[in-house]
Amino acid sequence: MTKDIFVFVEQRGGTILPAALQAISAAAQLAARAGGKVTAGLVGQDLGPLADKLDSTGVATTYLCDDAALGMYQPLRYTRAISEMIRKADPQIVLLAASFMGRDVAPRVAVRLSAGLATDCTELDLDATGALVVRRPIYNGKATSRVHFNPARLQIASVRPNTFPMPTGGAKAERISVAYAADASDDRQTTKEIARTGGAEKDVTEASIVVSGGRSLKSEENFKIIFDLAHALDGAVGASRAACDAGYQPHSRQVGLTGKTVTPQLYIACGISGAIQHLAGMRGSRRIVAINTDKEAPIFKVADYGVVADIFTFVPLLTEEVKKARAH
């Protein structure tokens, strides 16, 4: 086992997931302490252009499992491909993004390689023995758990999106091809199509900026002001449970205990009072801005900045100011 840190770099449709690049930054910090280097793995089809993008991230070696059978995500095939890359790289630690794919494939790889696994980690470090030590939120963010790994075994951790910065700098990485050893047992599942919910809009769990609307929007049509602000900020659109239950937005955009947990750099809550289940899904945001006419709304207790104003008046004005600032 080397002292290297391996990162599975998730890509979808020829685009690298930003959270996967952030995991490279986390790997660089660990590699500096361990005395190893950062290696990365890509799985898919026609990966050359994506490998080029990793050359400026500080990755020393990129492993490519490039095969037509891996053109679309299929958990059994990807598990086999990722496991083979890890065996070839022989790292001490494996990191990947805590995305939908990461949550699906990480336990499969951990079982196949008899590795330890911690998911949705927000802090990573090494102890005096070189073992990985991580912190991960539990009980919907009300507490954190400190997890110690066994250094004698492979250690795998998924990293919560928007927890670490994007990587910078680095020379051209060495490239090593890893053949995909197809197995009939992997064909028990077949992926025919991958349909993105919410159309072309960003997913709230992966965006660095989220603008959410509540039941105060009163209709699906009125959510246009939320979309306008989100698009001006290059962010994602979220919604409270009440807004989704009312049919104003699909539940794929719901933020909260019964929806999705988000950790953006900036979260703007428009007309959301701040029910406990909603706060549980967004309290991990780096900066929270609340806009509400009720100055006693619970959302203001967790907000970094609060605006007591009518959202139908204030949000369009804010959107215009954002557009002006972006134009300069």
Side-chain angles (χ1 to χ4, degrees), residues 4-326:
D4 296 343
I5 315 297
F6 179 92
V7 181
F8 167 58
V9 179
E10 180 181 335
Q11 60 87 21
R12 302 175 189 173
T15 301
I16 293 176
L17 190 71
L21 295 176
Q22 294 162 7
I24 293 176
S25 291
Q29 295 177 18
L30 294 177
R33 290 206 57 188
K37 58 183 183 295
V38 178
T39 61
L42 282 165
V43 176
Q45 186 179 11
D46 300 327
L47 298 174
L50 294 179
D52 292 339
K53 295 179 181 179
L54 293 183
D55 286 341
S56 60
T57 61
V59 171
T61 305
T62 301
Y63 293 85
L64 305 174
C65 194
D66 196 327
D67 194 285
L70 304 170
M72 289 192 294
Y73 176 65
Q74 197 265 43
L76 298 181
R77 292 178 181 175
Y78 267 54
T79 297
R80 184 174 299 279
I82 296 169
S83 298
E84 187 56 36
M85 287 194 298
I86 293 173
R87 289 192 186 100
K88 196 171 186 68
D90 194 27
Q92 174 185 6
I93 295 169
V94 173
L95 302 182
L96 69 165
S99 61
F100 291 117
M101 186 188 296
R103 293 187 185 99
D104 188 30
V105 78
R108 301 173 188 269
V109 173
V111 169
R112 183 162 298 197
L113 299 179
S114 299
L117 172 65
T119 59
D120 201 26
C121 302
T122 56
E123 294 180 23
L124 301 97
D125 201 357
L126 299 178
D127 66 14
T129 68
L132 180 64
V133 181
V134 303
R135 282 195 179 275
R136 56 185 302 274
I138 56 176
Y139 302 123
N140 297 303
K142 295 178 181 177
T144 59
S145 172
R146 195 163 186 255
V147 181
H148 290 254
F149 282 80
N150 180 354
R153 303 172 66 178
L154 179 66
Q155 306 157 72
I156 303 178
S158 65
V159 182
R160 176 175 282 197
N162 299 313
T163 303
F164 291 88
M166 298 294 281
T168 57
K172 184 177 177 63
E174 177 189 6
R175 297 185 188 181
I176 298 177
S177 295
V178 178
Y180 170 62
D183 190 285
S185 64
D186 294 341
D187 295 330
R188 288 172 291 165
Q189 294 181 342
T190 302
T191 302
K192 293 185 177 180
E193 179 186 5
I194 296 177
R196 182 183 177 91
T197 58
E201 295 295 328
K202 291 185 176 182
D203 188 272
V204 291
T205 61
E206 298 167 3
S208 60
I209 298 175
V210 176
V211 183
S212 286
R215 187 167 49 187
S216 301
L217 270 297
K218 300 178 181 179
S219 71
E220 180 180 0
E221 292 74 23
N222 287 340
F223 253 83
K224 182 180 183 301
I225 64 172
I226 305 299
F227 278 88
D228 289 345
L229 178 56
H231 292 165
L233 291 167
D234 192 26
V237 173
S240 68
R241 176 179 176 176
C244 292
D245 287 347
Y248 302 162
Q249 288 298 303
H251 283 280
S252 60
R253 296 198 177 107
Q254 181 182 329
V255 175
L257 185 61
T258 55
K260 295 179 177 179
T261 299
V262 301
T263 54
Q265 299 294 317
L266 173 63
Y267 186 85
I268 304 178
C270 305
I272 296 175
S273 62
I276 292 176
Q277 76 90 21
H278 185 80
L279 297 181
M282 47 68 74
R283 66 170 69 248
S285 305
R286 190 67 58 87
R287 289 286 182 270
I288 300 172
V289 177
I291 307 168
N292 203 296
T293 54
D294 180 10
K295 65 180 181 180
E296 302 298 330
I299 190 73
F300 286 124
K301 294 181 180 179
V302 300
D304 297 287
Y305 302 96
V307 181
V308 179
D310 185 289
I311 55 175
F312 295 105
T313 301
F314 184 80
V315 173
L317 292 174
L318 178 59
T319 302
E320 290 305 312
E321 291 301 316
V322 170
K323 289 179 179 178
K324 290 177 184 178
R326 288 288 177 97

